[in-house]
């Protein structure tokens, strides 16, 4: 009897292989009749692909492309031909700046809001209206006011990751147990020390939950934003490869978006575990 | 009920804590105010162990929170050592009912937090050394690095006690510190608290529901009537000797006199006292009651049946 982890791992590999097999079978052209392409689609894809060969690459082809992309990830041959790693770095850089700014704004501000029930009540309607706005809806406004596509993308990351962190921080700070605050009061702990030794540790798990939600949103949004503003980044890469009609590279891009998103989430999850305390 | 002389020396400072006419009112939902208690007067001499007992909801926690400075009274003032209190202070340590440990700190961290708050300029080793000493005092040596979640209820309460004692407060305030513990653990902790407080001459105000706990620990037992508009009915001078021991206390000639008196109060007089005040009752000076005497041993012994009392305890 192997451990659950080992068995789950084996099952994962089996599922992956099965998926690749089905994928391969699905894209292998049948000998008798060529795939009936929709004429519109064929035109879009370029006439050349219309024939006996499927436009959809198989897993082997994608893996080969992935290998190529990963073996030289950081080359730079001008605006339309950059390595996958380089594009990812551009995206990660934008997310880091936008998200970092959002943390710097949301956590202290959320702290203040959470400390004051009045501020919480007064600002709540604004936050509730601003929160559900799709980040991309901000894009025209951002482009118009900021007039710089790169900064606009960063702004959009900022604006979409700020709300969950703001709300969670305010909530976490506002619901610190009264008895812990009373402990600090009876020990005559000053406001600053209280903030850092009682309120922050007590609210940290809630704050980190907000940060984790935000990083997920930020990574979702950057891809879409880069498709819109173009230039650099993994979103642009995917869009560019679509224009190049390289579906294999599109799939490679998608894969890497997933992997990076997972890594970002793992980092935050690890941080979250570090500040969580059992009661 | 007979007056006897207490042999204990008159404390140097009979008004060390002086509660002067405090009131606690809450607005009612449907308008108006509820008065939990008003015009409450009580004095606690330096070095005494005072227990407050009364029924649930009569306002004991409110009194203690006002003493701690965590809440301001709606009226009146509390004078400690000649000074009106205006907020919480390191001079008054609180042991909370729900232990109130910081769960992200270890046992050592929790005690050290208090120590370093008390002595801001103390070095790290000094703070740690002192914290360890108090952790050892409450019998938790070896558990310094554990988090509160890894401790039993009794151990957590011990940490709370260590934390409170480590700052050398002038006054120790305890709100039903042992009520959540099993009888065995409660007994051990009572012994420890008694030993520590006795050896340091600590002034203590403790709230309890438990008559036996009050008799074992207290020098004076304050009886509060039922709320709303609760008042201090009387202060019972505990006639048991200072060097009482848990295993023989119930054999003391005055034990059941006191016990019956307290139970009797909780069962009936806490309810009827308001309409049936003794002549000359003065809220500013609640009567001190001295119970038990050698002359009354014959009938004060454990033979007096108190069936109603025995069944009606809460
Ligand atoms: N914030 C509040 N608003 C309104 N009423 C309150 C509030 N806090 C306490 N009370 C009332 O004050 C009264 C006294 O409460 P308190 O907690 O002091 O009682 P207690 O004697 O400590 O009871 P217990 O023995 O159950 O702990 C209760 O009747 C309670 O309903
Ligand atoms: Mg209470």
């Amino acid at each position: 009897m192997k451990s659950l982890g080992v068995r789950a791992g084996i099952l994962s590999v089996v599922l992956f292989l099965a998926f690749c097999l089905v994928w391969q079978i699905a894209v292998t052209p049948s000998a008798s009749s060529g795939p009936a392409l929709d004429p519109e689609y064929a035109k879009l894809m370029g006439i050349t692909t219309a024939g006996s060969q499927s436009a959809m690459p198989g897993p082997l082809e994608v893996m080969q492309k992935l290998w190529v992309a990963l073996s030289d990830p950081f080359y730079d041959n001008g605006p339309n031909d950059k390595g996958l790693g380089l594009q990812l770095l551009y995206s990660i850089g934008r997310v880091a700046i936008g998200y970092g700014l959002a943390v710097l704004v949301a956590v202290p501000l959320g702290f203040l809001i959470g400390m004051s029930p009045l501020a919480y009540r007064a600002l709540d309607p604004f936050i509730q209206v601003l929160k559900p706005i799709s980040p991309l809806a901000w894009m025209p406004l951002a482009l118009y006011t900021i007039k710089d596509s790169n900064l606009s993308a960063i702004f959009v990351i900022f604006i979409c990751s700020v709300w969950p962190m703001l709300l969670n921080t305010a909530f976490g700070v506002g619901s610190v147990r009264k008895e812990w605050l009373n402990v600090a009061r009876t020990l005559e702990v000053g406001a600053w020390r209280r903030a850092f030794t009682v309120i922050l540790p007590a609210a940290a798990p809630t704050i980190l939950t907000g940060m984790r939600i935000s990083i997920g949103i930020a990574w979702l949004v950057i891809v879409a934003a880069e498709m819109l503003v173009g230039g650099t980044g993994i979103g642009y890469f995917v869009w560019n490869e679509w224009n190049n009609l390289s579906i294999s590279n599109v799939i490679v891009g998608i894969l890497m978006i997933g992997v990076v998103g997972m890594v970002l989430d793992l980092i935050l999850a690890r941080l979250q575990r570090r500040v969580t305390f059992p009661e | 009920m007979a007056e006897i002389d207490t042999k204990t020396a008159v404390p140097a400072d009979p008004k060390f804590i002086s509660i002067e006419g405090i009131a606690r009112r809450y607005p009612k939902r449907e308008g108006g105010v509820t008065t939990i208690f008003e015009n409450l007067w009580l004095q606690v001499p330096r070095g005494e162990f005072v227990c407050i007992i009364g029924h649930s909801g009569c306002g004991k926690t409110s009194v203690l929170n006002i003493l701690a400075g965590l809440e301001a009274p709606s009226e009146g003032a509390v004078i400690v050592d000649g000074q009106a209190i205006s907020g919480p202070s390191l001079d008054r340590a609180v042991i909370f009912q729900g232990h109130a440990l910081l769960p992200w700190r270890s046992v050592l961290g929790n005690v050290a937090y208090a120590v370093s708050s008390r002595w801001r300029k103390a070095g790290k080793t000094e703070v740690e050394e002192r914290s360890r000493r108090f952790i050892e005092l409450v019998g938790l040596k070896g558990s310094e690095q554990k988090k509160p979640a890894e401790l039993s209820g009794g151990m957590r309460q011990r940490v709370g006690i260590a934390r409170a004692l480590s700052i050398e407060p002038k006054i120790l305030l305890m709100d039903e510190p042992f009520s959540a513990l099993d009888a065995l653990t409660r007994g051990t902790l009572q012994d420890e608290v008694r030993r520590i407080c006795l050896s340091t001459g600590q002034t203590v105000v403790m709230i309890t529901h438990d008559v036996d706990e009050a008799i074992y620990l207290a020098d004076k037992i304050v009886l509060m009537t039922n709320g709303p508009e609760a008042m201090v009915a009387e202060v019972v001078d505990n006639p048991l000797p200072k060097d009482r021991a848990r295993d023989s206390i119930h054999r003391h000639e005055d034990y059941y006199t006191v016990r019956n008196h307290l139970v009797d109060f909780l069962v009936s007089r806490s309810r009827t006292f308001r309409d049936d005040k003794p002549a000359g009752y003065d809220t500013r000076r609640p009567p001190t009651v001295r119970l038990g005497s050698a002359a009354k041993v014959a009938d004060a012994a454990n033979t007096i049946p108190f069936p109603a009392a025995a069944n009606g305890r809460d």
Side-chain angles (χ1 to χ4, degrees):
Chain A
M1 198 66 187
K2 298 211 178 72
S3 81
L4 188 65
V6 172
R7 283 185 290 152
I10 293 171
L11 188 59
S12 294
V13 170
V14 169
L15 283 174
F16 178 70
L17 292 177
F19 171 74
C20 288
L21 190 69
V22 171
W23 181 6
Q24 185 64 54
I25 291 169
V27 297
T28 305
S30 52
S32 55
S33 65
L37 277 181
D38 179 271
E40 285 286 310
Y41 187 61
K43 206 160 82 193
L44 205 65
M45 295 294 289
I47 306 300
T48 46
T49 52
S52 64
Q53 208 203 341
S54 166
M56 193 67 188
L60 289 175
E61 199 184 335
V62 169
M63 262 174 228
Q64 186 203 342
K65 277 275 173 18
L66 186 66
W67 176 251
V68 171
L70 290 185
S71 52
D72 185 13
F74 297 113
Y75 72 89
D76 186 355
N77 298 335
N80 280 335
D81 190 12
K82 293 193 198 327
L84 185 66
L86 204 57
Q87 301 286 35
L88 279 171
L89 280 185
Y90 274 113
S91 300
I92 293 172
R94 286 194 186 108
V95 166
I97 296 172
Y99 179 81
L101 286 175
V103 171
L104 289 183
V105 170
V107 173
L109 197 62
F111 220 93
L112 294 179
I113 297 174
M115 302 272 271
S116 149
L118 177 71
Y120 193 101
R121 287 268 189 109
L123 291 173
D124 195 51
F126 298 102
I127 298 173
Q128 296 304 341
V129 168
L130 290 170
K131 192 177 60 148
I133 296 174
S134 165
L136 294 181
W138 291 100
M139 206 68 204
L141 209 58
L143 283 169
Y144 175 73
T145 45
I146 302 175
K147 297 192 172 62
D148 177 290
S149 61
N150 196 26
L151 285 183
S152 297
I154 290 172
F155 169 79
V156 170
I157 297 300
F158 170 84
I159 204 77
C160 73
S161 44
V162 88
W163 309 117
M165 286 193 275
L166 191 67
L167 281 175
N168 271 51
T169 307
F171 177 76
V173 168
S175 47
V176 172
R177 292 249 289 276
K178 190 146 178 238
E179 52 176 39
W180 298 336
L181 296 173
N182 279 346
V183 167
R185 287 178 63 201
T186 56
L187 294 174
E188 293 185 52
V189 171
W192 280 103
R193 187 153 180 259
R194 188 176 66 219
F196 283 103
T197 57
V198 178
I199 301 175
L200 196 59
T206 326
I207 297 175
L208 260 293
T209 305
M211 291 177 69
R212 204 171 154 191
I213 297 171
S214 282
I215 196 79
I217 296 177
W219 189 245
L220 282 180
V221 164
I222 190 64
V223 174
E226 284 169 347
M227 284 182 174
L228 273 180
V229 299
T232 49
I234 187 70
Y236 172 71
F237 173 85
V238 169
W239 197 250
N240 197 34
E241 294 304 324
W242 159 241
N243 286 336
N244 294 344
L245 298 173
S246 171
I247 301 297
S248 320
N249 273 340
V250 169
I251 295 175
V252 166
I254 290 174
L255 261 177
M256 291 321 290
I257 291 170
V259 170
V260 172
M262 183 186 75
V263 169
L264 291 178
D265 189 63
L266 274 180
I267 295 171
L268 267 292
R270 174 90 29 109
L271 280 177
Q272 190 178 24
R273 215 169 313 135
R274 277 185 58 177
V275 299
T276 302
F277 48 83
E279 277 197 51
Chain B
M1 204 185 290
E3 296 268 330
I4 59 158
D5 284 327
T6 40
K7 283 198 290 289
T8 44
V10 180
D13 189 358
K15 285 173 101 177
F16 184 51
I17 306 175
S18 181
I19 298 177
E20 309 199 338
I22 60 170
R24 165 94 275 160
R25 301 179 211 282
Y26 288 110
K28 271 193 211 148
R29 194 161 298 170
E30 63 274 11
V33 289
T34 330
T35 300
I36 307 300
F37 51 78
E38 65 183 344
N39 202 17
L40 194 93
W41 295 71
L42 186 69
Q43 284 166 7
V44 178
R46 192 191 289 272
E48 285 216 335
F49 199 127
V50 171
C51 277
I52 302 179
I53 62 178
H55 277 291
S56 193
C58 71
K60 304 180 298 294
T61 298
S62 308
V63 171
L64 198 88
N65 283 347
I66 291 171
L67 275 176
L70 291 168
E71 289 172 18
S74 312
E75 278 160 30
V78 177
I79 318 285
V80 170
D81 213 2
Q83 276 216 316
I85 65 170
S86 58
S89 158
L90 282 158
D91 289 338
R92 283 165 273 129
V94 186
I95 296 178
F96 298 89
Q97 177 164 7
H99 66 76
L101 300 177
L102 305 178
W104 55 87
R105 284 176 176 262
S106 64
V107 168
L108 184 63
N110 268 284
V111 179
Y113 187 61
V115 174
S116 60
S117 301
R118 174 76 170 79
W119 291 279
R120 304 254 153 101
K121 299 206 177 68
K124 196 163 178 272
T125 45
E126 252 179 296
V127 169
E128 199 177 307
E129 190 266 329
R130 187 179 176 85
S131 308
R132 284 181 190 280
R133 209 166 74 229
F134 279 86
I135 291 168
E136 198 177 336
L137 185 71
V138 298
L140 282 181
K141 198 174 162 65
S143 303
E144 288 91 344
Q145 300 307 333
K146 291 205 176 112
K147 293 276 164 67
E150 303 166 62
L151 303 177
S152 69
M155 290 163 94
R156 286 180 207 164
Q157 206 52 272
R158 277 167 207 247
V159 183
I161 295 167
R163 177 172 68 183
L165 293 172
S166 69
I167 59 173
E168 281 182 6
K170 286 187 191 162
I171 299 166
L172 189 59
L173 304 170
M174 300 193 261
D175 189 356
E176 302 191 32
F178 311 129
S179 61
L181 306 176
D182 63 277
L184 211 63
T185 318
R186 194 185 312 152
T188 338
L189 281 186
Q190 284 168 354
D191 289 346
E192 278 167 28
V193 163
R194 187 172 153 71
R195 172 176 56 83
I196 296 165
C197 291
L198 221 53
S199 68
T200 56
Q202 183 75 55
T203 310
V204 186
V205 177
M206 173 168 150
I207 286 169
T208 177
H209 266 125
D210 186 339
V211 170
D212 294 300
E213 181 168 88
I215 299 174
Y216 179 50
L217 293 175
D219 299 316
K220 291 212 177 84
I221 301 158
V222 176
L223 306 183
M224 269 179 89
T225 66
N226 292 358
E229 289 167 53
M231 47 186 149
V232 173
E234 57 192 40
V235 180
V236 175
D237 221 350
N238 193 346
L240 301 184
K242 270 256 182 198
D243 59 348
R244 61 194 87 134
R246 162 180 305 288
D247 45 7
S248 62
I249 184 173
H250 59 282
R251 264 182 250 127
H252 191 275
E253 53 184 1
D254 292 334
Y255 178 76
Y256 280 93
T257 322
V258 184
R259 192 171 192 287
N260 289 343
H261 185 81
L262 298 183
V263 171
D264 190 30
F265 176 84
L266 287 178
V267 169
S268 59
R269 285 208 303 135
S270 60
R271 201 167 7 97
T272 58
F273 184 86
R274 194 201 330 263
D275 309 315
D276 189 18
K277 284 182 217 140
Y281 175 83
D282 178 6
T283 42
R284 284 176 164 248
R285 238 166 271 112
T288 300
V289 174
R290 297 193 170 83
L291 297 163
S293 77
K296 293 198 76 185
V297 175
D299 22 321
N302 13 4
T303 49
I304 295 183
F306 259 83
N311 297 334
R313 268 192 69 211
D314 79 334

